[in-house]
Amino acid sequence: MNENYILHKAGDRGHADHGWLNTYHTFSFADFYDPERENFGVLRVLNDDSVAPGMGFGTHPHSNMEIISLPTYGDLEHRDSMGNVTVIRQGDIQVMSAGSGITHSEYNKNKDKQVKFFQIWIFPNKRNVQPRYGQITLDPSERHNKLQQVVSPDPDGPGVWIHQDAWLHLGKLDRGTGIKYSLKRTGNGIYAFVIEGDLTINGYKVNKRDGMGIVNTENLEIVSDSNSEILLMDVPMEL
């Protein structure tokens, strides 16, 4: 693998099982620290979380971070200091611009099943903005054998928006499907995370829960080697 590619295998992620929380960290987080895995450009956190029935994260603060939650199973209840009380379900996407400072909590709303979600943190390009909350329900048909934009810098674009020149896309690909992606901004890098299945990206094999960071490229060629799901994060490399 050449110097423009970084492969983070699923089994090399940080892992902690707290009983109520089973979590995997692609990048350094909490008790997991790897100086080679502190971030990928402005992408700071990619956590793969499973929360036990009725349990969750108590009220805690954030500031100057764009925080995105993508539930993949179950129902996550959100409360924050802006007065929002919502439930985020599979198929939804949530964003918070923490800005000048917020507090929030997240709990598994159900007493009989887990909730599973990806938590993504991105450094913003504007500091101390007014805190903001957004949530929408995505149409899964828009990612069948193609890429669905779910995050962008454009408040009027598809998906939710953030204070950063970053674009996130989801794809759900049948075996044998090939797709191409062109980066949205010169100088950005791309971080590909395999949610399910097996893929070949620019000739390199990646598998379930692997992450691959790519720099100094303008295009990706992705082939699905099995039925698969992918999250692409097109992000600035300069902090």
Side-chain angles (χ1 to χ4, degrees), residues 59 77-87 94 96 101-105 130-135:
T59 302
E77 183 175 292
H78 166 94
R79 295 173 180 265
D80 64 43
S81 53
M82 294 177 280
N84 297 295
V85 180
T86 62
V87 177
Q94 174 212 61
M96 288 190 303
I102 59 167
T103 59
H104 78 125
S105 63
Q130 182 176 346
R132 178 183 61 90
Y133 181 88
Q135 179 182 337

Short mmCIF file of all heavy atoms in Angstrom, two decimals, residues 59 77-87 94 96 101-105 130-135:
data_model
loop_
_atom_site.label_atom_id
_atom_site.label_comp_id
_atom_site.label_asym_id
_atom_site.label_seq_id
_atom_site.Cartn_x
_atom_site.Cartn_y
_atom_site.Cartn_z
N THR A 59 -25.76 13.54 30.89
CA THR A 59 -25.53 14.90 30.40
C THR A 59 -24.05 15.27 30.48
O THR A 59 -23.41 15.11 31.51
CB THR A 59 -26.35 15.91 31.22
OG1 THR A 59 -27.74 15.56 31.12
CG2 THR A 59 -26.16 17.32 30.70
N GLU A 77 -32.66 8.24 22.27
CA GLU A 77 -33.33 9.45 22.75
C GLU A 77 -32.29 10.53 23.06
O GLU A 77 -31.32 10.27 23.76
CB GLU A 77 -34.15 9.16 24.00
CG GLU A 77 -34.91 10.39 24.50
CD GLU A 77 -35.82 10.05 25.67
OE1 GLU A 77 -36.81 9.32 25.47
OE2 GLU A 77 -35.53 10.52 26.78
N HIS A 78 -32.52 11.72 22.53
CA HIS A 78 -31.59 12.84 22.67
C HIS A 78 -32.25 13.97 23.44
O HIS A 78 -33.39 14.34 23.17
CB HIS A 78 -31.19 13.32 21.26
CG HIS A 78 -30.52 14.67 21.25
ND1 HIS A 78 -29.14 14.80 21.29
CD2 HIS A 78 -31.02 15.93 21.21
CE1 HIS A 78 -28.85 16.09 21.27
NE2 HIS A 78 -29.96 16.79 21.23
N ARG A 79 -31.52 14.56 24.38
CA ARG A 79 -31.94 15.77 25.09
C ARG A 79 -30.76 16.73 25.15
O ARG A 79 -29.63 16.29 25.38
CB ARG A 79 -32.41 15.45 26.52
CG ARG A 79 -33.66 14.59 26.58
CD ARG A 79 -33.98 14.17 28.01
NE ARG A 79 -35.17 13.34 28.07
CZ ARG A 79 -36.39 13.79 28.33
NH1 ARG A 79 -36.58 15.09 28.61
NH2 ARG A 79 -37.43 12.97 28.34
N ASP A 80 -31.01 18.03 25.00
CA ASP A 80 -29.89 18.98 25.04
C ASP A 80 -30.29 20.29 25.67
O ASP A 80 -31.47 20.55 25.95
CB ASP A 80 -29.29 19.19 23.64
CG ASP A 80 -30.24 19.82 22.64
OD1 ASP A 80 -30.95 20.78 23.00
OD2 ASP A 80 -30.28 19.37 21.49
N SER A 81 -29.27 21.12 25.90
CA SER A 81 -29.47 22.40 26.58
C SER A 81 -30.15 23.44 25.69
O SER A 81 -30.49 24.53 26.17
CB SER A 81 -28.12 22.94 27.07
OG SER A 81 -27.18 22.99 26.01
N MET A 82 -30.37 23.10 24.41
CA MET A 82 -31.13 23.98 23.53
C MET A 82 -32.62 23.72 23.62
O MET A 82 -33.42 24.39 22.97
CB MET A 82 -30.66 23.82 22.08
CG MET A 82 -29.23 24.27 21.83
SD MET A 82 -28.68 23.97 20.12
CE MET A 82 -28.27 22.23 20.20
N GLY A 83 -33.01 22.72 24.40
CA GLY A 83 -34.42 22.40 24.59
C GLY A 83 -34.94 21.30 23.69
O GLY A 83 -36.13 21.00 23.71
N ASN A 84 -34.06 20.68 22.92
CA ASN A 84 -34.48 19.61 22.03
C ASN A 84 -34.66 18.30 22.80
O ASN A 84 -33.79 17.92 23.59
CB ASN A 84 -33.46 19.39 20.92
CG ASN A 84 -33.32 20.60 20.02
OD1 ASN A 84 -34.24 20.99 19.33
ND2 ASN A 84 -32.14 21.22 20.05
N VAL A 85 -35.78 17.64 22.59
CA VAL A 85 -36.03 16.30 23.09
C VAL A 85 -36.54 15.50 21.90
O VAL A 85 -37.66 15.69 21.44
CB VAL A 85 -37.06 16.28 24.24
CG1 VAL A 85 -37.26 14.84 24.73
CG2 VAL A 85 -36.62 17.18 25.39
N THR A 86 -35.72 14.61 21.39
CA THR A 86 -36.06 13.90 20.16
C THR A 86 -35.65 12.43 20.27
O THR A 86 -34.90 12.05 21.16
CB THR A 86 -35.35 14.51 18.94
OG1 THR A 86 -33.93 14.39 19.11
CG2 THR A 86 -35.71 15.98 18.77
N VAL A 87 -36.15 11.63 19.34
CA VAL A 87 -35.74 10.24 19.21
C VAL A 87 -35.16 10.07 17.81
O VAL A 87 -35.77 10.46 16.82
CB VAL A 87 -36.92 9.27 19.43
CG1 VAL A 87 -36.46 7.83 19.20
CG2 VAL A 87 -37.48 9.43 20.84
N GLN A 94 -28.57 12.76 12.56
CA GLN A 94 -28.63 13.89 13.48
C GLN A 94 -27.31 14.64 13.43
O GLN A 94 -26.25 14.03 13.29
CB GLN A 94 -28.86 13.37 14.91
CG GLN A 94 -28.80 14.44 15.98
CD GLN A 94 -28.25 13.86 17.30
OE1 GLN A 94 -27.15 13.38 17.38
NE2 GLN A 94 -29.09 13.89 18.32
N MET A 96 -25.25 18.05 15.41
CA MET A 96 -25.17 19.15 16.36
C MET A 96 -23.92 19.96 16.06
O MET A 96 -22.83 19.40 15.94
CB MET A 96 -25.08 18.65 17.80
CG MET A 96 -26.33 18.07 18.37
SD MET A 96 -26.15 17.80 20.16
CE MET A 96 -24.71 16.75 20.22
N GLY A 101 -20.84 26.14 22.94
CA GLY A 101 -21.01 25.24 24.07
C GLY A 101 -22.43 24.73 24.25
O GLY A 101 -23.38 25.53 24.22
N ILE A 102 -22.58 23.42 24.40
CA ILE A 102 -23.86 22.80 24.69
C ILE A 102 -23.64 21.68 25.70
O ILE A 102 -22.51 21.23 25.91
CB ILE A 102 -24.53 22.20 23.44
CG1 ILE A 102 -23.61 21.13 22.81
CG2 ILE A 102 -24.89 23.26 22.42
CD1 ILE A 102 -24.31 20.28 21.78
N THR A 103 -24.72 21.22 26.30
CA THR A 103 -24.72 19.96 27.03
C THR A 103 -25.82 19.10 26.44
O THR A 103 -26.83 19.60 25.92
CB THR A 103 -24.96 20.15 28.53
OG1 THR A 103 -26.23 20.80 28.75
CG2 THR A 103 -23.86 20.99 29.16
N HIS A 104 -25.61 17.78 26.48
CA HIS A 104 -26.66 16.89 25.97
C HIS A 104 -26.50 15.51 26.59
O HIS A 104 -25.49 15.18 27.20
CB HIS A 104 -26.62 16.81 24.44
CG HIS A 104 -25.55 15.93 23.89
ND1 HIS A 104 -25.79 14.89 23.02
CD2 HIS A 104 -24.20 15.92 24.09
CE1 HIS A 104 -24.66 14.31 22.70
NE2 HIS A 104 -23.68 14.90 23.33
N SER A 105 -27.54 14.71 26.43
CA SER A 105 -27.52 13.31 26.86
C SER A 105 -28.14 12.46 25.76
O SER A 105 -28.94 12.96 24.96
CB SER A 105 -28.31 13.12 28.17
OG SER A 105 -29.68 13.44 27.98
N GLN A 130 -23.14 29.91 17.16
CA GLN A 130 -24.32 29.61 17.97
C GLN A 130 -24.64 28.12 17.83
O GLN A 130 -24.72 27.60 16.72
CB GLN A 130 -25.52 30.44 17.52
CG GLN A 130 -26.76 30.20 18.35
CD GLN A 130 -27.91 31.11 17.95
OE1 GLN A 130 -27.70 32.08 17.23
NE2 GLN A 130 -29.11 30.80 18.40
N PRO A 131 -24.81 27.42 18.95
CA PRO A 131 -25.12 25.99 18.87
C PRO A 131 -26.39 25.74 18.05
O PRO A 131 -27.33 26.55 18.04
CB PRO A 131 -25.31 25.59 20.33
CG PRO A 131 -24.48 26.56 21.10
CD PRO A 131 -24.61 27.85 20.35
N ARG A 132 -26.39 24.60 17.36
CA ARG A 132 -27.47 24.31 16.42
C ARG A 132 -27.72 22.80 16.40
O ARG A 132 -26.82 21.99 16.55
CB ARG A 132 -27.06 24.79 15.03
CG ARG A 132 -28.04 24.53 13.91
CD ARG A 132 -27.45 25.00 12.59
NE ARG A 132 -26.22 24.28 12.27
CZ ARG A 132 -26.18 23.14 11.58
NH1 ARG A 132 -27.30 22.60 11.14
NH2 ARG A 132 -25.02 22.54 11.34
N TYR A 133 -28.97 22.43 16.20
CA TYR A 133 -29.38 21.02 16.13
C TYR A 133 -30.15 20.78 14.84
O TYR A 133 -30.94 21.60 14.41
CB TYR A 133 -30.28 20.67 17.32
CG TYR A 133 -30.73 19.22 17.33
CD1 TYR A 133 -29.96 18.24 17.94
CD2 TYR A 133 -31.93 18.84 16.73
CE1 TYR A 133 -30.35 16.91 17.94
CE2 TYR A 133 -32.34 17.52 16.74
CZ TYR A 133 -31.55 16.56 17.34
OH TYR A 133 -31.94 15.25 17.34
N GLY A 134 -29.89 19.64 14.20
CA GLY A 134 -30.64 19.25 13.01
C GLY A 134 -30.85 17.75 12.98
O GLY A 134 -30.01 16.98 13.45
N GLN A 135 -31.98 17.33 12.40
CA GLN A 135 -32.28 15.91 12.29
C GLN A 135 -33.23 15.70 11.12
O GLN A 135 -34.20 16.44 10.96
CB GLN A 135 -32.94 15.40 13.58
CG GLN A 135 -33.33 13.92 13.55
CD GLN A 135 -34.02 13.49 14.84
OE1 GLN A 135 -33.84 14.10 15.90
NE2 GLN A 135 -34.80 12.44 14.76
#
